[in-house]
Amino acid sequence: MLRVLIKKDLLLEFRSKEIVVSMAAFGISVIVLYALGFNASSEEFLKFSPGLLWMMFLFISVLGLHRSFSIEKEFDAFGLLLSAPVSRSDIFLSKWISSFLFLLMSQIIVLPIFFLFLNVSIPKEWLLWILVFLIADLGITALGSLVSGIAMRVRMSEVILPILLFPLVTPLLISVVKCTHGLFNGLLFEEWKIWFQIMVTFVLVFGVTGYLIFDYVSEE
Amino acid sequence: MGKFHSKSIKLNIFNLQISIPVNKLLFGLIIVMFAFGLYLVLVVTRVDAEQQMAQKIFYFHVPSAWSMFLAYFLVLIAGIQYLRTRAEKWDRFGLASAEVGTLFCVLVLITGPIWATPIWGTPWSWEPRLTTTLILFLIYIGYFMLRQYGGDRKQIARLSAIIGIIAFIDVPFIYFSINLWAERDQVHPQSDMGGQPTDVLGTFLFMLLTFTILLSYMIRYRMHVLELDTKLTELEHGI
Amino acid sequence: MEYKYFGYFISVLIIIMFSISGWVIVMFKKEKSILDKLTYLKKSTNNNWDK
């Protein structure tokens, strides 16, 4: 059942391409604004780029999360989904995985542009780099899917979502920025291992929380 | 007001029936305790050689922080209980605790920088506990906005119960990561209260007790007003 | 009182006392206004809501 739900989200996106395209476009414009607004040399950027990078990803994930849940609101698709014989926890998992995939796809588009425009050199340990990305994306979208499931039910959801999500996601943002900083500056894994561990715990805790609590979120 | 107070203590002294509402009793107790606490803080406790009067802010700052955490913990309990039982009183309990907790949260955020200004030379230095408090405050702004725009009453109660639970799960992450992040910075005054002299420790514990009773009074009072408010809305809409 | 930082201490004290007693006063007013309305409604509709 989970596979069907994810397939539905991906198929919708494959046909319209609206989520990934809008996320990537927004990301690129933020990068251009960074470059123009800061007007800094690449050494100066190296210092701030981990924070800038993940702030930008946080912004675009809010965009994607909101869109991927508000699609369900149109034509009352969410009501139909709830009346279908699907477990609510599976709805959470499918939303989590599909928004994770959307975030990943838009990052694949945006990331080269980030390195190119801001003249930041690409880290060498690409395997660790990919791992950090996967874990951080899973964390953002786990908490993000849970919170946007809540925000979707209320008026002004586009405002409520970031207001609730940003403070809740701070520990993950701090950790991933520290990890990215370590990677950009070629520090040893041992030196920022603790931040990686926080991220993994965060993903586990909020994945399980979302799985258990989404039943109550999606009640009629 | 009497008939709306459901809970009261009934005493029988020399065949004299006396009934005192619990809230009034608590209110009187708090005033007496606060006055005595003030006496302890101003007169009994020693003056710190370095920080002098600024050190005494701690007798109000730390109990406020304690009340805030206790209140937010009660929001968690209320959230779990609401989702289990769906009784409206748990929603009222959660909302009352969230409101009172946020009041104490603001007090912590004000008194902390007032203390830090003379001692650290700067009001705000991203000290971990204060930063955690600030982030909790921001989360609870979201909580109240959610309540504002949440739709019907049952949905508001359900969704805000969930937010209360998530917020509390997040607290250890926030504190741990910010603590690690701010390692380089000023250290918060030590929390090792066991080594403190009796006058300091005693006064501190007394203030802690006073603030805890204050918290319970405020939550009870707020719940009572919320209950009346519900009654009024129901009556006005003819439910 | 010749101690240092007295002003900081007093301002903390004032802020705490004012905000908490302010909160209580606001609640008291709120309670009173609701009670007034309730009494009024009870008189005018004669419902048996207060059971």
Side-chain angles (χ1 to χ4, degrees):
Chain A
M1 207 61 222
L2 182 61
R3 276 176 58 194
V4 179
L5 285 172
I6 298 170
K7 215 173 135 189
K8 178 212 74 169
D9 280 349
L10 291 182
L11 199 66
L12 264 175
E13 177 56 24
F14 185 70
R15 285 192 185 140
S16 66
K17 299 177 190 65
E18 55 182 20
I19 294 177
V20 172
V21 169
S22 55
M23 282 166 87
F26 185 65
I28 293 167
S29 10
V30 171
I31 294 171
V32 172
L33 288 182
Y34 280 163
L36 297 177
F38 289 118
N39 193 18
S41 67
S42 58
E43 290 81 45
E44 286 169 306
F45 259 124
L46 188 64
K47 202 175 164 194
F48 299 115
S49 52
L52 294 177
L53 182 68
W54 284 100
M55 264 155 61
M56 182 257 292
F57 286 149
L58 203 57
F59 292 151
I60 69 173
S61 57
V62 167
L63 210 67
L65 283 164
H66 184 256
R67 189 65 206 138
S68 109
F69 273 86
S70 59
I71 281 180
E72 304 288 353
K73 243 161 129 180
E74 287 167 13
F75 313 115
D76 195 29
F78 201 68
L80 293 174
L81 193 60
L82 291 180
S83 56
V86 194
S87 127
R88 272 92 192 257
S89 305
D90 278 356
I91 299 178
F92 169 73
L93 285 183
S94 76
K95 279 292 167 201
W96 181 13
I97 294 169
S98 60
S99 49
F100 165 72
L101 291 175
F102 296 154
L103 181 57
L104 210 59
M105 282 184 240
S106 49
Q107 280 172 336
I108 290 170
I109 304 171
V110 170
L111 205 57
I113 297 172
F114 182 83
F115 284 122
L116 181 74
F117 277 10
L118 300 188
N119 289 319
V120 180
S121 52
I122 302 164
K124 289 174 194 72
E125 294 189 68
W126 55 273
L127 206 68
L128 258 177
W129 180 229
I130 290 172
L131 202 62
V132 165
F133 257 79
L134 293 181
I135 301 290
D137 289 358
L138 278 176
I140 292 176
T141 48
L143 190 56
S145 308
L146 181 54
V147 174
S148 47
I150 294 168
M152 189 194 70
R153 315 305 296 269
V154 305
R155 279 185 295 135
M156 301 229 307
S157 56
E158 70 281 3
V159 180
I160 303 268
L161 173 60
I163 285 181
L164 274 174
L165 182 61
F166 284 179
L168 284 169
V169 92
T170 33
L172 187 78
L173 186 82
I174 294 174
S175 321
V176 72
V177 166
K178 286 282 180 182
C179 290
T180 314
H181 175 80
L183 280 166
F184 276 174
N185 292 289
L187 301 180
L188 285 174
F189 178 64
E190 291 300 313
E191 287 178 58
W192 45 272
K193 196 175 76 186
I194 181 78
W195 296 107
F196 191 75
Q197 288 163 339
I198 295 177
M199 287 208 303
V200 174
T201 327
F202 193 92
V203 172
L204 290 177
V205 167
F206 281 102
V208 172
T209 310
Y211 187 80
L212 293 178
I213 222 168
F214 208 73
D215 224 11
Y216 298 109
V217 175
S218 49
E219 244 169 60
E220 270 307 286
Chain B
M1 170 158 55
K3 67 183 164 193
F4 294 103
H5 273 289
S6 46
K7 278 186 189 138
S8 54
I9 294 173
K10 290 197 170 58
L11 297 174
N12 198 338
I13 307 165
F14 303 120
N15 287 333
L16 214 70
Q17 294 281 340
I18 306 170
S19 134
I20 310 165
V22 174
N23 276 338
K24 274 186 184 162
L25 194 74
L26 275 177
F27 187 69
L29 186 67
I30 289 162
I31 289 188
V32 172
M33 282 182 84
F34 207 86
F36 184 63
L38 211 57
Y39 165 75
L40 286 179
V41 169
L42 284 171
V43 181
V44 177
T45 53
R46 67 193 68 197
V47 178
D48 187 82
E50 257 179 68
Q51 302 191 1
Q52 305 217 343
M53 285 311 277
Q55 184 269 332
K56 296 190 182 218
I57 291 173
F58 140 98
Y59 298 113
F60 299 95
H61 174 72
V62 179
S64 303
W66 154 257
S67 297
M68 172 198 79
F69 271 112
L70 193 62
Y72 285 161
F73 178 67
L74 293 177
V75 178
L76 167 83
I77 302 289
I80 293 170
Q81 286 297 329
Y82 178 79
L83 292 181
R84 274 185 51 216
T85 62
R86 303 298 160 124
E88 273 195 28
K89 69 166 185 197
W90 288 114
D91 178 48
R92 283 198 288 271
F93 183 46
L95 175 58
S97 307
E99 280 188 16
V100 176
T102 308
L103 177 72
F104 281 111
C105 189
V106 172
L107 287 180
V108 172
L109 287 175
I110 294 172
T111 54
I114 288 181
W115 175 83
T117 307
I119 305 302
W120 287 345
T122 167
W124 191 265
S125 64
W126 296 103
E127 191 279 320
R129 288 175 219 195
L130 267 183
T131 313
T132 307
T133 309
L134 176 66
I135 290 174
L136 264 173
F137 178 67
L138 292 175
I139 294 174
Y140 271 89
I141 289 180
Y143 174 96
F144 291 118
M145 282 189 75
L146 189 81
R147 289 201 81 104
Q148 193 69 38
Y149 301 111
D152 66 281
R153 221 159 66 194
K154 283 218 162 65
Q155 176 162 301
I156 291 176
R158 205 181 66 235
L159 295 182
S160 50
I162 296 167
I163 289 294
I165 295 170
I166 299 175
F168 209 82
I169 296 176
D170 212 26
V171 170
F173 282 106
I174 299 172
Y175 178 67
F176 188 69
S177 58
I178 292 176
N179 200 17
L180 212 62
W181 171 82
E183 245 175 1
R184 61 200 153 74
D185 282 339
Q186 324 261 30
V187 265
H188 194 276
Q190 257 322 301
S191 43
D192 176 29
M193 287 307 295
Q196 295 288 348
T198 335
D199 55 335
V200 175
L201 185 66
T203 308
F204 171 67
L205 290 178
F206 184 79
M207 287 311 279
L208 218 55
L209 183 67
T210 310
F211 270 70
T212 312
I213 294 174
L214 178 65
L215 179 77
S216 71
Y217 166 76
M218 287 168 89
I219 292 176
R220 282 175 56 92
Y221 197 6
R222 184 70 185 114
M223 275 179 78
H224 168 69
V225 175
L226 282 171
E227 198 181 341
L228 287 179
D229 205 27
T230 326
K231 235 180 211 171
L232 182 66
T233 354
E234 277 174 2
L235 199 64
E236 278 175 344
H237 296 302
I239 301 169
Chain C
M1 289 281 180
E2 289 306 309
Y3 296 122
K4 265 200 291 183
Y5 310 134
F6 193 71
Y8 294 99
F9 174 77
I10 286 297
S11 45
V12 162
L13 199 62
I14 289 173
I15 287 167
I16 291 214
M17 298 218 310
F18 263 73
S19 50
I20 289 172
S21 51
W23 184 91
V24 173
I25 290 165
V26 168
M27 276 306 122
F28 185 75
K29 281 192 167 167
K30 216 170 183 166
E31 183 191 26
K32 201 170 173 312
S33 85
I34 295 173
L35 283 177
D36 286 348
K37 273 185 205 159
L38 275 176
T39 330
Y40 172 76
L41 280 172
K42 195 187 171 192
K43 264 181 198 154
S44 60
T45 56
N46 203 16
N47 261 327
N48 57 343
W49 55 276
D50 196 20
K51 53 190 174 207

